[in-house]
């Protein structure tokens, strides 16, 4: 139907109109330049055609003014577009303070999505309108790409690493969700929908799903015991290991002299490849958990470690105070 024809997907996030503005400006700039060049080719072709009675002598002089007249405006226009698009790029890359942290796991051939409270969905993502959502994504097998055209969000999802994306939906409704990286025979079927709901509807939806799974933190706490983390990462553990309360987001000094921020990627690496970054003053004695722990478990464990930041840090400091 001709009425349904549209060149662009709906604009349903805060960045959508900004992305489109850059894109349309580039198109307009390109089309204007092409038209000007085409016009001049035809114009000079006709004016200086064979047999035409026109002056063919050179104007003389270097023509520097003419060169400047086209090169300076073009330079200014291109650099302005570059700066404008660059700003937008950084805004898209760097997530603002998010209110909802959602975990996305890609695997051949589906998206498994985990809400902040631990509830899981397959090929569906429910979010409330107007809230900033941060996605932490990883893959269980090959490279996928998480793509929501209406939000102008597209980010590769890699095995063995976390990638991040964010969006703030501005309109309720249902939007397409795709995998935008060829990942095997059923790549084209790997997709689903994003449902943007009113706040209250979203809360109802969350509450409506009974038999709710454990939260990622409580799942993580269980894994923390199961994998034996608590034999060492406690005061007076079997082996002297770094305390984990408050580590998330903090600066960590390493044996190598480097200082790193303990973000999710760092925690992930320290669980899978503990010897990659040794904390200053500690021995490289922790075993690797590579191959023994699934991505979803890893995520829960990291959420648990993150939750330690709020709870135990004060008690630890309090316990240390009486000593001096
Ligand atoms: Cu996953 Cu294409």
């Amino acid at each position: 139907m001709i009425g349904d024809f549209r060149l662009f997907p709906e604009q349903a996030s805060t960045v959508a109109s900004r992305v489109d503005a850059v894109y349309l400006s580039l198109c307009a700039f390109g089309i204007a330049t092409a038209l000007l060049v085409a016009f001049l080719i035809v114009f000079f072709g006709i004016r200086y055609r064979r047999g035409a009675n026109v002056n063919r002598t050179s104007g003389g002089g270097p023509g520097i003014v003419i060169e400047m007249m086209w090169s300076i405006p073009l330079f200014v226009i291109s650099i302005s577009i570059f700066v404008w698009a660059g700003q937008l790029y950084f805004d898209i890359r760097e997530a603002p303070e998010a209110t909802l942290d959602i975990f996305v796991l890609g695997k051949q051939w589906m998206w498994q999505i985990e809400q902040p409270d631990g509830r899981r969905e397959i090929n569906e993502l429910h979010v409330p309108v107007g809230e900033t959502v941060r996605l932490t994504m990883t893959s269980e097998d090959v490279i996928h790409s998480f793509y929501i055209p209406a939000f102008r969000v597209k980010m590769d999802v890699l095995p063995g690493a976390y990638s991040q994306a964010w969006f703030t939906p501005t309109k309720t409704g249902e939007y397409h969700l795709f995998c935008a990286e060829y990942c095997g025979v059923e790549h084209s079927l790997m997709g689903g929908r994003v449902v943007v709901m009113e706040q209250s509807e979203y809360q109802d939806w969350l509450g409506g799903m009974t038999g709710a799974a454990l939260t990622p933190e409580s799942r993580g706490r269980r894994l923390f015991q199961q994998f034996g983390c608590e034999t060492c990462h406690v005061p007076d553990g079997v082996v002297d290991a770094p305390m984990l309360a408050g580590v998330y987001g903090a600066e960590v000094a390493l044996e190598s002299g480097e200082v790193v921020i303990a973000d999710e990627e760092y925690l992930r690496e320290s669980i899978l490849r503990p010897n990659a970054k040794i904390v200053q003053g500690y021995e490289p004695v922790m075993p690797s958990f590579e191959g023994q722990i699934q991505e979803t478990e890893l995520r829960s464990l990291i959420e648990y470690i993150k939750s330690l930041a709020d709870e135990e840090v004060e008690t630890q400091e309090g316990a240390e105070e009486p000593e001096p």
Side-chain angles (χ1 to χ4, degrees), residues 109 143-145 179-183 187 190:
W109 287 274
I143 300 176
H144 303 277
S145 183
C179 174
E181 183 78 49
Y182 182 68
C183 55
H187 157 72
M190 183 171 169

Side-chain angles (χ1 to χ4, degrees), residues 3-315:
D4 290 340
F5 178 77
R6 49 148 60 105
L7 281 174
F8 290 91
E10 227 173 308
Q11 296 177 337
S13 81
T14 47
V15 296
S17 57
R18 296 178 63 196
V19 172
D20 291 357
V22 170
Y23 182 72
L24 289 172
S25 305
L26 279 171
C27 286
F29 180 50
I31 290 169
T33 313
L35 285 179
L36 179 66
V37 171
F39 167 77
L40 289 176
I41 290 172
V42 173
F43 175 76
F44 287 127
I46 293 171
R47 185 173 160 87
Y48 293 100
R49 70 189 182 280
R50 189 164 64 173
N53 182 22
V54 281
N55 178 8
R56 291 173 203 270
T57 56
S58 156
I64 183 93
V65 175
I66 291 202
E67 293 293 333
M68 288 300 182
M69 266 171 58
W70 71 263
S71 52
I72 289 179
L74 276 191
F75 176 77
V76 171
I77 293 171
S78 339
I79 289 293
S80 316
I81 291 180
F82 169 73
V83 171
W84 180 28
Q87 256 166 4
L88 177 59
Y89 175 81
F90 282 112
D91 286 353
I92 290 176
R93 288 294 305 212
E94 311 254 315
E97 272 303 298
T99 40
L100 270 187
D101 257 305
I102 287 180
F103 179 65
V104 175
L105 178 68
K107 50 180 155 182
Q108 285 168 327
W109 287 274
M110 60 154 107
W111 295 110
Q112 185 184 305
I113 288 162
E114 199 178 289
Q115 294 280 340
D117 70 347
R119 191 155 323 205
R120 289 184 184 158
E121 321 180 57
I122 300 288
N123 292 337
E124 286 201 351
L125 169 58
H126 288 73
V127 286
V129 69
E131 290 230 22
T132 301
V133 177
R134 189 176 72 133
L135 305 170
T136 301
M137 307 187 285
T138 190
S139 164
E140 215 170 70
D141 35 53
V142 299
I143 300 176
H144 303 277
S145 183
F146 192 82
Y147 182 31
I148 308 169
F151 296 169
R152 310 295 187 270
V153 164
K154 183 161 167 240
M155 181 53 74
D156 278 4
V157 177
L158 313 169
Y162 283 142
S163 47
Q164 263 161 11
W166 72 273
F167 57 81
T168 309
T170 50
K171 266 195 224 176
T172 55
E174 282 187 22
Y175 306 99
H176 286 296
L177 162 64
F178 293 111
C179 174
E181 183 78 49
Y182 182 68
C183 55
V185 289
E186 283 178 39
H187 157 72
S188 61
L189 301 176
M190 183 171 169
R193 60 186 190 139
V194 179
V195 183
V196 180
M197 311 161 104
E198 293 294 347
Q199 270 292 348
S200 54
E201 271 181 87
Y202 174 72
Q203 294 306 336
D204 287 350
W205 175 80
L206 275 182
M209 293 179 75
T210 46
L214 291 165
T215 62
E217 293 95 72
S218 43
R219 223 182 270 146
R221 184 186 322 227
R222 214 151 61 180
L223 292 163
F224 199 74
Q225 296 164 353
Q226 205 175 311
F227 283 102
C229 316
E230 56 168 12
T231 40
C232 304
H233 290 280
V234 286
D236 306 318
V238 176
V239 166
D240 195 21
M243 291 302 101
L244 300 176
V247 74
Y248 178 71
E251 286 186 347
V252 178
L254 304 181
E255 273 293 302
S256 64
E258 256 181 293
V259 176
V260 294
I261 299 285
D263 55 8
E264 285 153 342
E265 191 66 52
Y266 167 84
L267 294 178
R268 182 198 156 84
E269 181 184 60
S270 298
I271 296 167
L272 297 181
R273 292 175 294 280
N275 293 347
K277 296 195 174 74
I278 300 296
V279 179
Q280 202 168 44
Y282 290 92
E283 298 291 319
V285 287
M286 177 172 153
S288 159
F289 286 86
E290 189 132 48
Q292 298 177 47
I293 182 163
Q294 291 172 353
E295 285 297 344
T296 44
E297 294 177 327
L298 203 48
R299 143 85 171 178
S300 301
L301 211 42
I302 290 172
E303 286 304 311
Y304 173 61
I305 294 170
K306 281 162 76 173
S307 74
L308 293 178
D310 320 322
E311 294 166 17
E312 282 170 38
V313 107
E314 297 121 46
T315 53

